[in-house]
Amino acid sequence: MVKDIDWANIGFSYTKTDYRFISDYKNGKWDEGRLSEDAVIRLDESAGVLQYAQTCFEGLKAYRTVDGHVVCFRPDLNAKRMADSCARLEMPIFPEDKFVDAVKQVVKANLEFVPPYGTGASLYLRPYMFASSNVIGVKPAQEYQFRIFATPVGPYFKGGAKPISVKISDFDRAAPHGTGHIKAGLNYAMSLHAIVQAHNEGFNENFYLDSATRTKIEETGGANIIFVTKDNKVVTPKSNTILPSITRRSLMYVAEHYLGLKAEEREVYLEELKDFEECALCGTAAVLSPVGRIYDHGKEILLPSGMEKMGEVTQKLYDTLTGIQMGRIEPPEGWIEVIE
Ligand SMILES: *Cc1c(COP(=O)(O)O)cnc(C)c1O
């Protein structure tokens, strides 16, 4: 029933699976949608997505749990977030209940690609929408396509999570009153140059500052940030130009309600970095990636948790959230959508 794939070594890359969900928006409404074996899209040369980047996306995972079920983690929040992205980009909203239903259809149709429990691998789902009809004057397109494909992904960290090095970026990710809070492809297009440069300089990631004052920490190109204070408080930056990570919102809940820690969403100043005990990136792909070193223009900040392993609180957060996702720990109501 499960494909013969070397689950431990597939990495975080694309593998084609059998079925994807497709729905078209035409004449002001969405069609019923369908599953298709065709992974290729044919588009008009002047499609809105190609000319003016009218597109947004989501990302979530399906897991096999300890008791053999296949589940998804909080897909209703992805549906809601995509609706927010679409509203900001003048795209039609794909109904939230239909979004969750389509996620389930894709997982069910590709069950053989859901990795076995205990491998650390999972089935990554990529819902996305794009303008499919032609534009040449700058305006929203008339037609759109919503799709979800699935691809199995390996454990993000082979052989355990080693702390990473990040740099404070000189580039900006999001403008005040811009699109930083939505999951638009355009936010990623303009972060590519910054991440390639950071990699060339030997860093794993960029920490972006608030572009208005450049004094506060926001997030990386594709993950939110959490800090742990010396007195075990979990802190995450507050800003309306940060993408509201579902992993981060879940971790803050776990910190408070499962671990009994204080959890605080507030502005975090660059100057405070030296005072934190632990730091980690959070997002669907890796859950939590510990940060060991932050480079700020000639100054180096070494987190006390070091470069060898996750800090103690980060580890507890990681174990609890993955325990909830894999069915080892009782979830808060509504967090786990059982598919099989
Ligand atoms: C998707 C994304 C995240 C992580 O969100 P999750 O819902 O936790 O996967 C963080 N930052 C940015 C910019 C993102 O696009």
Side-chain angles (χ1 to χ4, degrees):
M1 258 311 272
V2 176
K3 292 270 177 197
D4 184 21
I5 291 175
D6 181 9
W7 300 110
N9 292 305
I10 52 174
F12 200 85
S13 58
Y14 174 79
T15 304
K16 190 177 147 189
T17 54
D18 294 338
Y19 294 97
R20 67 275 307 119
F21 179 86
I22 307 172
S23 180
D24 288 304
Y25 183 87
K26 242 183 200 166
N27 301 322
K29 57 179 191 297
W30 289 104
D31 67 10
E32 269 306 292
R34 63 200 179 273
L35 289 170
S36 167
E37 290 185 81
D38 190 359
V40 176
I41 299 168
R42 258 179 74 87
L43 272 180
D44 192 288
E45 64 186 352
S46 194
V49 60
L50 299 178
Q51 303 311 321
Y52 303 128
Q54 205 185 2
T55 179
C56 61
F57 67 99
E58 276 299 325
L60 70 162
K61 283 174 172 174
Y63 313 86
R64 262 181 223 278
T65 60
V66 64
D67 57 358
H69 288 290
V70 174
V71 305
C72 235
F73 185 69
R74 312 188 77 178
D76 54 317
L77 296 189
N78 295 97
K80 168 74 174 77
R81 192 168 64 188
M82 187 160 203
D84 293 342
S85 298
C86 288
R88 179 63 176 80
L89 295 172
E90 287 298 332
M91 299 168 73
I93 285 164
F94 194 75
E96 293 174 37
D97 53 335
K98 290 201 168 155
F99 178 107
V100 174
D101 182 64
V103 164
K104 289 171 146 179
Q105 285 188 46
V106 173
V107 175
K108 276 191 183 152
N110 295 293
L111 269 186
E112 294 176 6
F113 289 96
V114 185
Y117 173 78
T119 55
S122 55
L123 186 69
Y124 183 76
L125 298 157
R126 169 52 60 88
Y128 58 114
M129 192 192 295
F130 54 90
S132 53
S133 64
N134 58 64
V135 293
I136 194 69
V138 179
K139 59 173 184 294
Q142 293 293 308
E143 296 175 11
Y144 295 83
Q145 193 166 80
F146 170 75
R147 297 174 76 107
I148 306 177
F149 69 74
T151 180
V153 291
Y156 204 80
F157 306 109
K158 280 185 225 160
K162 281 275 177 202
I164 59 171
S165 297
V166 304
K167 71 171 280 190
I168 303 295
S169 185
D170 291 320
F171 294 100
D172 289 328
R173 191 193 82 88
H177 317 292
T179 55
H181 61 301
I182 60 160
K183 220 165 166 74
L186 62 91
N187 292 342
Y188 280 73
M190 55 113 217
S191 74
L192 297 176
H193 179 62
I195 193 66
V196 168
Q197 270 204 3
H199 286 166
N200 288 342
E201 292 165 13
F203 300 102
N204 304 91
E205 276 294 347
N206 280 310
F207 272 13
Y208 291 103
L209 302 178
D210 72 297
S211 57
T213 71
R214 299 193 62 82
T215 58
K216 290 173 273 187
I217 301 289
E218 297 237 302
E219 61 170 323
T220 72
N224 282 183
I225 306 171
I226 60 157
F227 297 97
V228 180
T229 63
K230 296 216 184 320
D231 56 357
N232 282 352
K233 204 183 289 168
V234 181
V235 175
T236 194
K238 184 183 174 78
S239 156
N240 51 19
T241 56
I242 289 177
L243 193 282
S245 156
I246 295 164
T247 313
R248 183 255 299 167
R249 286 181 270 163
S250 304
L251 287 166
M252 296 304 275
Y253 184 93
V254 163
E256 213 171 326
H257 296 91
Y258 282 69
L259 304 178
L261 302 173
K262 282 222 171 67
E264 206 168 78
E265 187 180 355
R266 62 159 169 87
E267 292 175 324
V268 174
Y269 287 87
L270 195 47
E271 286 170 1
E272 293 179 69
L273 287 183
K274 59 183 190 331
D275 303 326
F276 290 115
E277 180 71 22
E278 301 175 28
C279 173
L281 312 185
C282 58
T284 295
V287 182
L288 274 168
S289 326
V291 173
R293 194 166 69 105
I294 305 169
Y295 182 80
D296 176 16
H297 303 91
K299 265 188 323 212
E300 211 172 46
I301 297 157
L302 291 164
L303 277 295
S305 52
M307 288 301 286
E308 280 309 305
K309 54 180 175 37
M310 278 193 191
E312 213 175 296
V313 173
T314 305
Q315 186 73 52
K316 277 188 198 158
L317 286 166
Y318 180 86
D319 291 345
T320 310
L321 187 61
T322 53
I324 289 170
Q325 290 168 335
M326 302 293 174
R328 295 186 298 263
I329 296 174
E330 187 68 29
E333 194 174 333
W335 279 26
I336 300 295
E337 182 81 33
V338 179
I339 296 171
E340 263 274 313

